[in-house]
Amino acid sequence: MKNNGFYITALIATGKGVPDSRIDFEKRCNLIFGKSETGKTHVLHLIEFLLGKKNRSKDGTNPQMVPEGKGYDCFYLEIAKYENDEPYTIQRKLNSKSVYVKPVKYTSFSDPEIRSDEYSTVSKKNAYSDFLLRLIGYDNKVEVKKSATDKAQLSFSTIRHLILASENRVIAETPIFNPTSQFAEATREKSLIYLLTSGEDDSNFEPEDKKDTQRAKIHGKMELLNDVIKQKEELIFKIGDVNYADFTDEAFVKQYKTELAKTDSTLNDLYQKRNELEKRRSKLMSKQMFVEAFLSRIKLLNQHYTLDIERYDFLYQGHQIFEALGDNAICPLCKSHLDPKHFTEAGFAESLKAEYEAILQRKAESEQLITVKEEELSNLKLEIDKIHSEKLSLFEEIKTIEIQIGNIRSILERYQANIESKTRLTDLQEETQRLRADYKRLADELKKVGQVASRYIRETNIKDEFCDLLQKKLAGWEVGDSQTVVFDEQTFDFILGGKPRLSCGKGTRGVTCTAILMTLVEYCILHDIPFTRTLIIDSPITAHFSDVSLKPEETTQNKFFRYCNDNIKNYQLIIIDNKSPNEEEREILSNIHYIEFSESGRPGFYPAKPIM
């Protein structure tokens, strides 16, 4: 649901042998003004009639007609959706219970090709009320509380009196939201205001049962409460005496909590030290693995050096043999001649000897490196073993402190359990006392079944936000003592500056009633609660007279019209009043659409008839 709403663009009256009468309205503030007895209020009556109200005159005509309206028997209300200006024209004839609606402007209403929808103002079937409710944003069925034993579907007639306020309603000495003394009507009014200020209807309300059913339900609740009370009392007995659990023994708790914090801090230090040792050990073990791998490769290289030395030694010995053979050496395998010169050339023996000695040197160096690394490896193992011993010692220390912490926590937990037992006992005793009070209340309620009518117990949402919006208006208009504005649920009206609104004079009641209805419209728009986008008020300022010593611009009347000029932007306001800004002020307050009924201009809603 959204606050879509509609506004009025024109009011038209037609009849045989009489000229059409029409007033156009703007999508802003409109002021119909003029002297008394010019038919201004008749405009309100016609709009009420076209929005489904019965407004019979003494002769039985509906709507109540004025002499100038003789001959007019067909009335039209041209409206438009506020969100997109989509037009509708509503037709209702004099004394008719039917309403015809076309989705067009009035100028196209007579087009026979455009189908009209017929609605009833009295029947629930194809009800006109449903159409109007859909227009203002209620797409689904909404329910309001009607009485203690009944609820009803929301109808537009329930809302209409808050949209169109007559002069009698504006200055009445009854609450603006609850103008009737009838209990059923008052209940429905309160349910409506709850809906408009919270956005929630009474669809979840369950009507009260008949007396016998009510008594049976109360008896059942009392029996259930009695069983629960017995269960609570058994629990109280099981807990027993808890006087040993002293809530005031703060020193005891503080001492153990301090000791726990200190011990916990020591344990954290030990954990940190253990982690550091583990990091060192891990680092040393990585280094050990590296040294072992390096040592293995060096030893393998040393073995290769040994083999190379043996090979060079063999070559050197062979060289000496060839030198001894002489020039006539023959190969015993291939029988070829061996020339000793190939093996005895200058430099061969020296090169062989130099390489042999170099390998011997490298072998010696590798053996020296092996000795160093084996010593380094031995030192690493010793350090790792030392760290392992330290870790074992730390483990024992940590284990001891963890046991200490466990003991301290166990003491505190036992103390806490004692405290909780006492708290639980206190809660059970208080709960049992509350249940006994509920049992007594049900017993009293059982006695009163059928004696008094139930009251509407839900509160409205007229709280700080609503009251602040209203207070700003009244303070800006300088209406009486409006420094504080509070809504009283009991009287269902407002208290202004500590004084009940209804105890104010007629003029103040009229202005404050207007401010309340305007605030209700603005609050619903602000919170997107379906209500209305047009508000029509008859004589809001007529009965109000400011102090004669005030300058014109300081009067409530002037401030009221200035507010309407500057602030009516999100909805349409139609004011009907004897008073208005003077001609000079009207030029300044140009956002107001002025409609004057006067002898020199338009005499009233209906055209002046020629004098015969």
Side-chain angles (χ1 to χ4, degrees), residues 239-263:
I239 291 174
D241 183 20
V242 291
N243 290 327
Y244 57 84
D246 186 6
F247 281 102
T248 62
D249 195 359
E250 294 291 340
F252 170 82
V253 179
K254 187 176 181 181
Q255 175 189 346
Y256 275 95
K257 284 186 177 180
T258 302
E259 189 174 344
L260 178 62
K262 184 179 178 181
T263 310

Short mmCIF file of all heavy atoms in Angstrom, two decimals, residues 239-263:
data_model
loop_
_atom_site.label_atom_id
_atom_site.label_comp_id
_atom_site.label_asym_id
_atom_site.label_seq_id
_atom_site.Cartn_x
_atom_site.Cartn_y
_atom_site.Cartn_z
N ILE A 239 16.52 -25.31 45.32
CA ILE A 239 17.70 -24.43 45.44
C ILE A 239 18.09 -24.28 46.89
O ILE A 239 19.26 -24.29 47.25
CB ILE A 239 17.40 -23.05 44.81
CG1 ILE A 239 17.28 -23.19 43.28
CG2 ILE A 239 18.50 -22.04 45.15
CD1 ILE A 239 16.85 -21.93 42.57
N GLY A 240 17.11 -24.20 47.79
CA GLY A 240 17.39 -24.13 49.21
C GLY A 240 17.96 -22.80 49.64
O GLY A 240 17.77 -21.76 48.99
N ASP A 241 18.75 -22.86 50.77
CA ASP A 241 19.32 -21.64 51.35
C ASP A 241 20.54 -21.20 50.54
O ASP A 241 21.45 -21.98 50.29
CB ASP A 241 19.72 -21.91 52.80
CG ASP A 241 20.25 -20.65 53.47
OD1 ASP A 241 19.96 -19.55 52.96
OD2 ASP A 241 20.95 -20.77 54.49
N VAL A 242 20.57 -19.95 50.15
CA VAL A 242 21.71 -19.42 49.37
C VAL A 242 22.30 -18.20 50.06
O VAL A 242 22.93 -17.35 49.42
CB VAL A 242 21.27 -19.06 47.93
CG1 VAL A 242 20.96 -20.30 47.13
CG2 VAL A 242 20.09 -18.12 47.95
N ASN A 243 22.13 -18.11 51.36
CA ASN A 243 22.67 -16.95 52.08
C ASN A 243 24.19 -16.92 52.07
O ASN A 243 24.81 -15.87 52.28
CB ASN A 243 22.16 -16.94 53.53
CG ASN A 243 20.67 -16.61 53.60
OD1 ASN A 243 20.18 -15.84 52.78
ND2 ASN A 243 19.97 -17.22 54.54
N TYR A 244 24.82 -18.11 51.84
CA TYR A 244 26.29 -18.16 51.80
C TYR A 244 26.85 -17.42 50.59
O TYR A 244 28.02 -17.06 50.54
CB TYR A 244 26.76 -19.62 51.75
CG TYR A 244 26.20 -20.39 50.59
CD1 TYR A 244 26.80 -20.33 49.34
CD2 TYR A 244 25.05 -21.16 50.74
CE1 TYR A 244 26.27 -21.02 48.27
CE2 TYR A 244 24.52 -21.86 49.69
CZ TYR A 244 25.13 -21.80 48.44
OH TYR A 244 24.62 -22.48 47.40
N ALA A 245 26.03 -17.25 49.57
CA ALA A 245 26.48 -16.54 48.36
C ALA A 245 26.28 -15.05 48.58
O ALA A 245 25.18 -14.53 48.44
CB ALA A 245 25.69 -17.01 47.14
N ASP A 246 27.38 -14.40 48.96
CA ASP A 246 27.30 -12.98 49.32
C ASP A 246 27.66 -12.11 48.14
O ASP A 246 28.78 -12.17 47.63
CB ASP A 246 28.25 -12.70 50.50
CG ASP A 246 28.08 -11.27 51.01
OD1 ASP A 246 27.18 -10.58 50.52
OD2 ASP A 246 28.87 -10.86 51.89
N PHE A 247 26.71 -11.31 47.68
CA PHE A 247 26.96 -10.43 46.54
C PHE A 247 27.96 -9.33 46.88
O PHE A 247 28.56 -8.75 46.01
CB PHE A 247 25.64 -9.77 46.09
CG PHE A 247 24.78 -10.68 45.27
CD1 PHE A 247 23.70 -11.32 45.83
CD2 PHE A 247 25.07 -10.92 43.94
CE1 PHE A 247 22.92 -12.16 45.08
CE2 PHE A 247 24.28 -11.74 43.19
CZ PHE A 247 23.21 -12.39 43.75
N THR A 248 28.13 -9.04 48.17
CA THR A 248 28.96 -7.89 48.55
C THR A 248 30.43 -8.26 48.73
O THR A 248 31.24 -7.40 49.05
CB THR A 248 28.43 -7.29 49.86
OG1 THR A 248 28.53 -8.28 50.90
CG2 THR A 248 26.98 -6.86 49.72
N ASP A 249 30.81 -9.55 48.60
CA ASP A 249 32.18 -9.98 48.84
C ASP A 249 33.06 -9.68 47.63
O ASP A 249 33.55 -10.57 46.93
CB ASP A 249 32.21 -11.48 49.16
CG ASP A 249 33.53 -11.91 49.78
OD1 ASP A 249 34.40 -11.03 49.95
OD2 ASP A 249 33.68 -13.10 50.09
N GLU A 250 33.25 -8.39 47.38
CA GLU A 250 34.01 -7.95 46.21
C GLU A 250 35.50 -8.25 46.36
O GLU A 250 36.19 -8.55 45.39
CB GLU A 250 33.82 -6.45 45.98
CG GLU A 250 32.40 -6.05 45.60
CD GLU A 250 32.03 -6.55 44.22
OE1 GLU A 250 32.95 -6.84 43.43
OE2 GLU A 250 30.82 -6.66 43.95
N ALA A 251 36.05 -8.16 47.61
CA ALA A 251 37.49 -8.39 47.83
C ALA A 251 37.88 -9.80 47.44
O ALA A 251 38.94 -10.04 46.84
CB ALA A 251 37.83 -8.12 49.29
N PHE A 252 37.00 -10.76 47.75
CA PHE A 252 37.26 -12.16 47.41
C PHE A 252 37.41 -12.32 45.90
O PHE A 252 38.37 -12.91 45.39
CB PHE A 252 36.12 -13.02 47.95
CG PHE A 252 36.15 -14.45 47.47
CD1 PHE A 252 36.96 -15.39 48.09
CD2 PHE A 252 35.38 -14.85 46.39
CE1 PHE A 252 37.00 -16.71 47.63
CE2 PHE A 252 35.41 -16.15 45.94
CZ PHE A 252 36.22 -17.08 46.56
N VAL A 253 36.47 -11.82 45.18
CA VAL A 253 36.48 -11.94 43.72
C VAL A 253 37.67 -11.20 43.13
O VAL A 253 38.37 -11.70 42.25
CB VAL A 253 35.16 -11.40 43.13
CG1 VAL A 253 35.18 -11.51 41.61
CG2 VAL A 253 33.98 -12.16 43.69
N LYS A 254 37.92 -10.00 43.65
CA LYS A 254 39.01 -9.18 43.13
C LYS A 254 40.36 -9.87 43.32
O LYS A 254 41.21 -9.86 42.42
CB LYS A 254 39.01 -7.82 43.83
CG LYS A 254 40.01 -6.84 43.25
CD LYS A 254 39.87 -5.48 43.92
CE LYS A 254 40.87 -4.48 43.31
NZ LYS A 254 40.75 -3.17 43.97
N GLN A 255 40.57 -10.49 44.50
CA GLN A 255 41.83 -11.16 44.80
C GLN A 255 42.08 -12.29 43.80
O GLN A 255 43.17 -12.41 43.22
CB GLN A 255 41.79 -11.72 46.23
CG GLN A 255 43.03 -12.55 46.59
CD GLN A 255 42.86 -13.27 47.91
OE1 GLN A 255 41.95 -12.95 48.67
NE2 GLN A 255 43.73 -14.22 48.18
N TYR A 256 41.07 -13.12 43.61
CA TYR A 256 41.26 -14.26 42.71
C TYR A 256 41.35 -13.84 41.24
O TYR A 256 42.07 -14.46 40.46
CB TYR A 256 40.13 -15.27 42.91
CG TYR A 256 40.43 -16.22 44.06
CD1 TYR A 256 39.94 -15.96 45.34
CD2 TYR A 256 41.20 -17.36 43.87
CE1 TYR A 256 40.21 -16.82 46.39
CE2 TYR A 256 41.49 -18.21 44.91
CZ TYR A 256 40.99 -17.96 46.17
OH TYR A 256 41.27 -18.80 47.21
N LYS A 257 40.63 -12.80 40.90
CA LYS A 257 40.73 -12.32 39.52
C LYS A 257 42.11 -11.74 39.24
O LYS A 257 42.67 -11.91 38.15
CB LYS A 257 39.64 -11.28 39.24
CG LYS A 257 38.26 -11.88 39.04
CD LYS A 257 37.25 -10.83 38.64
CE LYS A 257 35.89 -11.47 38.36
NZ LYS A 257 34.87 -10.46 37.97
N THR A 258 42.68 -11.04 40.25
CA THR A 258 44.03 -10.49 40.11
C THR A 258 45.05 -11.61 39.97
O THR A 258 45.94 -11.58 39.10
CB THR A 258 44.38 -9.61 41.32
OG1 THR A 258 43.42 -8.57 41.42
CG2 THR A 258 45.77 -9.01 41.17
N GLU A 259 44.90 -12.63 40.82
CA GLU A 259 45.81 -13.78 40.76
C GLU A 259 45.68 -14.51 39.43
O GLU A 259 46.67 -14.94 38.84
CB GLU A 259 45.50 -14.72 41.93
CG GLU A 259 46.54 -15.84 42.09
CD GLU A 259 46.28 -16.67 43.33
OE1 GLU A 259 45.52 -16.22 44.21
OE2 GLU A 259 46.84 -17.77 43.41
N LEU A 260 44.44 -14.63 38.97
CA LEU A 260 44.21 -15.30 37.68
C LEU A 260 44.86 -14.52 36.54
O LEU A 260 45.51 -15.10 35.67
CB LEU A 260 42.71 -15.43 37.43
CG LEU A 260 42.30 -16.07 36.10
CD1 LEU A 260 42.80 -17.51 36.02
CD2 LEU A 260 40.78 -16.04 35.93
N ALA A 261 44.73 -13.20 36.57
CA ALA A 261 45.31 -12.37 35.51
C ALA A 261 46.83 -12.47 35.51
O ALA A 261 47.48 -12.57 34.46
CB ALA A 261 44.86 -10.92 35.67
N LYS A 262 47.41 -12.46 36.75
CA LYS A 262 48.87 -12.53 36.88
C LYS A 262 49.39 -13.88 36.38
O LYS A 262 50.36 -13.96 35.61
CB LYS A 262 49.26 -12.31 38.34
CG LYS A 262 50.75 -12.27 38.59
CD LYS A 262 51.03 -12.01 40.07
CE LYS A 262 52.54 -12.02 40.35
NZ LYS A 262 52.83 -11.80 41.78
N THR A 263 48.75 -14.95 36.81
CA THR A 263 49.15 -16.29 36.40
C THR A 263 48.96 -16.49 34.91
O THR A 263 49.79 -17.11 34.23
CB THR A 263 48.35 -17.35 37.18
OG1 THR A 263 48.40 -17.04 38.57
CG2 THR A 263 48.91 -18.75 36.97
#
